[in-house]
Amino acid sequence: MEERACMIAEAGYEVISRYGIRRATMNDIAQAAGVSRQTVYNIFPNREELLHGVIRYHFWHKWNEIEEAIDQIEDREKRIAILLDHLVVRSWESMQAMPHADELEIEIDTTMRERMSDIHQEAVRKLCEFFNAYEEQLNSRGMTAQGIGEMLHLAFVGMKLSSTSQAQLETVVGTMKACLLSVTE
């Protein structure tokens, strides 16, 4: 994404997080980004394009945070803990803090499902890259980095959307961490 698109997408995420998807307007987003409403429409011609841009920007931002956090870390347990914290725990907390998060989930599920396939494919690719370092250990257990990446992506999406409490999420994340440590040992 170009710089202005990123700036608008970041502002879009902040506005949607504050007001909810149905109450956030293009004017609100333009004002938060410090650009005109027409500039927002020039880059994102409609609400669906804007939402796709916001989600894509958020995805890349999240992965950049993970890559920076694990860059110098060799310890497998710490790397997996960072991955789970950023992709599951922080994402879930962010969704819980949003007013009307259920509206965002419905919007994404009903109008954005097909548009999001590129983001889902990229998420699986990034997860596979993460677990490529453990390919030998995975293969010895009849698994692949690709299989782990696909399974984790589906699990992460489900966990973020269906976990009902922080305690439940932490229990599941702890179990997932133990499983990942076991299969990558």
Side-chain angles (χ1 to χ4, degrees), residues 109-166:
D109 192 44
T110 57
T111 63
M112 298 294 297
R113 182 178 292 248
E114 287 182 27
R115 290 294 318 274
M116 300 228 349
S117 67
D118 63 327
I119 297 168
H120 290 297
Q121 289 171 359
E122 188 63 16
V124 170
R125 188 182 71 72
K126 290 283 198 180
L127 285 164
C128 292
E129 283 178 8
F130 182 91
F131 284 96
N132 275 340
Y134 312 108
E135 187 77 33
E136 187 177 319
Q137 296 91 326
L138 293 170
N139 287 340
S140 73
R141 290 170 171 76
M143 301 175 177
T144 63
Q146 179 72 31
I148 288 286
E150 290 174 2
M151 179 200 68
L152 289 176
H153 175 66
L154 294 172
F156 292 167
V157 170
M159 288 166 60
K160 288 185 287 189
L161 297 177
S162 63
S163 295
T164 57
S165 70
Q166 183 82 30

Side-chain angles (χ1 to χ4, degrees), residues 7-144:
M7 183 177 66
I8 293 168
E10 181 177 14
Y13 182 78
E14 291 170 13
V15 170
I16 290 168
S17 294
R18 191 174 331 124
Y19 299 125
I21 185 69
R22 293 192 182 146
R23 287 156 199 81
T25 68
M26 294 296 232
N27 284 336
D28 295 331
I29 293 166
Q31 186 176 14
V35 299
S36 71
R37 183 173 174 225
Q38 187 57 49
T39 299
V40 174
Y41 277 110
N42 287 343
I43 295 173
F44 299 107
N46 57 49
R47 206 168 164 77
E48 184 178 312
E49 289 293 324
L50 176 66
L51 184 56
H52 186 253
V54 166
I55 294 167
R56 199 169 71 232
Y57 171 81
H58 185 67
F59 167 78
W60 281 107
H61 181 72
K62 179 95 28 207
W63 271 105
N64 286 338
E65 284 179 349
I66 292 167
E67 288 170 350
E68 286 175 17
I70 66 171
D71 185 42
Q72 301 297 317
I73 297 174
E74 296 292 324
D75 182 81
R76 179 175 48 92
E77 184 172 351
K78 287 180 184 175
R79 290 173 59 89
I80 290 172
I82 290 167
L83 178 77
L84 294 173
D85 180 57
H86 281 74
L87 287 182
V88 182
V89 177
R90 291 182 188 191
S91 294
W92 184 84
E93 290 171 345
S94 163
M95 288 293 289
Q96 295 304 304
M98 283 185 189
H100 314 290
D102 57 328
E103 292 174 359
L104 180 60
E105 292 170 15
I106 290 168
E107 182 84 16
I108 290 170
D109 192 44
T110 57
T111 63
M112 298 294 297
R113 182 178 292 248
E114 287 182 27
R115 290 294 318 274
M116 300 228 349
S117 67
D118 63 327
I119 297 168
H120 290 297
Q121 289 171 359
E122 188 63 16
V124 170
R125 188 182 71 72
K126 290 283 198 180
L127 285 164
C128 292
E129 283 178 8
F130 182 91
F131 284 96
N132 275 340
Y134 312 108
E135 187 77 33
E136 187 177 319
Q137 296 91 326
L138 293 170
N139 287 340
S140 73
R141 290 170 171 76
M143 301 175 177
T144 63

